[in-house]
């Protein structure tokens, strides 16, 4: 109930803020970008990155639930999963302190690698404290990566298509999470927790690869400009 109230008040306040009218006037002062611009590689790579983050969320939560159930504490899975939000929230907010020389493309790669360095330990973990520690470090990488991709989306969105691009990026997270939650759940039932832990690893590997692809696209954009 508290979460619902916070969402209603904060999202409602954001939507009704007076600056919304200013943004609309600015966007309508120039021709609206075409659908082809929205479906260009520079936007699709961001959607792919968000999809990989979503697949991580879905596979990680399902695998973690199984991990906790194996230890007779399945009802505590949500609390342990919350450790992911500690580093994620702190470093997601801290991105405003990063210098401009630390480009968005570089941030994606660096923080995705931070997640990769920690996620590879998942199959070797046998205790809850160790799992919490890994999740905290994972969050340090995931939070800034998520913020960075949204920032790239804002910067690259064609004129008048900001809402469309942001909706695509948000939806990619939801689709990835839903898909891998279902797939990982079946894998857990069939093969157990240890096998399911490879799905979060695979998701982070994709996150890194998409970050490298984005860096290449960013280089092309800078060269063209």
């Amino acid at each position: 109930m508290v979460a619902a109230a916070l969402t209603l008040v904060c999202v409602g306040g954001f939507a009704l803020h007076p600056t919304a009218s200013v943004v609309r006037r600015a966007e309508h002062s120039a021709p609206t970008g075409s659908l082809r611009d929205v479906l260009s590689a520079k936007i699709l790579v961001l959607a792919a990155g968000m999809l990989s983050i979503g697949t991580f969320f879905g596979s990680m939560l399902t695998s973690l639930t199984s991990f906790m159930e194996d230890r007779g504490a399945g009802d505590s899975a949500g609390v342990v999963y919350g450790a992911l939000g500690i580093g994620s929230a702190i470093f997601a907010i801290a991105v405003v302190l990063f210098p401009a020389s630390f480009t968005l493309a570089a941030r994606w790669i660096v923080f995705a690698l931070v997640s990769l360095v920690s996620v590879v330990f998942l199959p070797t973990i046998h205790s809850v404290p160790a799992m919490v520690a890994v999740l905290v470090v994972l969050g340090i990488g995931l939070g800034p990566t998520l913020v960075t991709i949204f920032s790239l989306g804002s910067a690259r969105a064609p004129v008048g298509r900001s809402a469309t691009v942001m909706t695509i990026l948000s939806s990619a997270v939801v689709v990835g999470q839903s898909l891998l939650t279902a797939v990982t759940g079946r894998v857990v039932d069939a093969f157990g927790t240890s096998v399911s832990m490879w799905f979060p690893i695979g998701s982070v590997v994709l996150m890194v690869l998409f970050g490298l692809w984005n860096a290449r696209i960013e280089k092309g954009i800078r060269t063209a400009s």
Side-chain angles (χ1 to χ4, degrees):
M1 294 298 292
V2 171
L6 285 172
T7 301
L8 178 64
V9 172
C10 295
V11 175
F14 178 80
L16 298 174
H17 196 274
T19 53
S21 60
V22 177
V23 173
R24 283 197 294 270
R25 285 198 296 271
E27 289 191 341
H28 291 166
S29 63
T32 301
S34 66
L35 182 59
R36 179 178 297 179
D37 294 331
V38 174
L39 299 178
S40 62
K42 66 180 183 180
I43 302 298
L44 292 179
V45 67
L46 306 181
M50 283 300 200
L51 185 69
S52 67
I53 292 177
T55 59
F56 170 81
F57 286 147
S59 58
M60 186 69 249
L61 180 56
T62 306
S63 298
L64 179 63
T65 301
S66 178
F67 175 87
M68 296 301 292
E69 287 178 346
D70 292 344
R71 285 149 186 78
D75 55 346
S76 299
V79 177
V80 176
Y81 188 65
L84 187 69
I86 298 174
S88 178
I90 294 174
F91 276 79
I93 295 173
V95 296
V96 297
L97 302 177
F98 296 155
S101 57
F102 188 13
T103 65
L104 293 174
R107 292 177 195 179
W108 183 345
I109 295 172
V110 169
F111 286 104
L113 286 173
V114 170
S115 295
L116 182 60
V117 168
S118 55
V119 78
V120 294
F121 289 100
L122 286 178
T124 68
I125 294 175
H126 301 289
S127 68
V128 175
M131 178 62 75
V132 170
V134 168
L135 288 174
V136 170
V137 179
L138 265 168
I140 292 175
L142 283 172
T145 303
L146 191 67
V147 172
T148 296
I149 297 177
F150 272 123
S151 298
L152 285 166
S154 177
R156 294 179 184 175
V159 175
R161 298 291 187 179
S162 297
T164 303
V165 171
M166 290 304 178
T167 300
I168 290 173
L169 299 185
S170 299
S171 299
V173 176
V174 176
V175 170
Q177 183 168 357
S178 301
L179 178 62
L180 262 292
T181 296
V183 172
T184 308
R186 288 188 172 274
V187 170
V188 166
D189 291 340
F191 304 103
T193 305
S194 59
V195 175
S196 70
M197 287 295 181
W198 288 98
F199 283 92
I201 296 175
S203 297
V204 177
V205 169
L206 287 176
M207 197 188 309
V208 173
L209 294 176
F210 290 140
L212 294 172
W213 180 23
N214 174 73
R216 183 175 181 180
I217 291 175
E218 182 69 19
K219 183 178 179 179
I221 293 173
R222 292 181 180 277
T223 300
S225 61

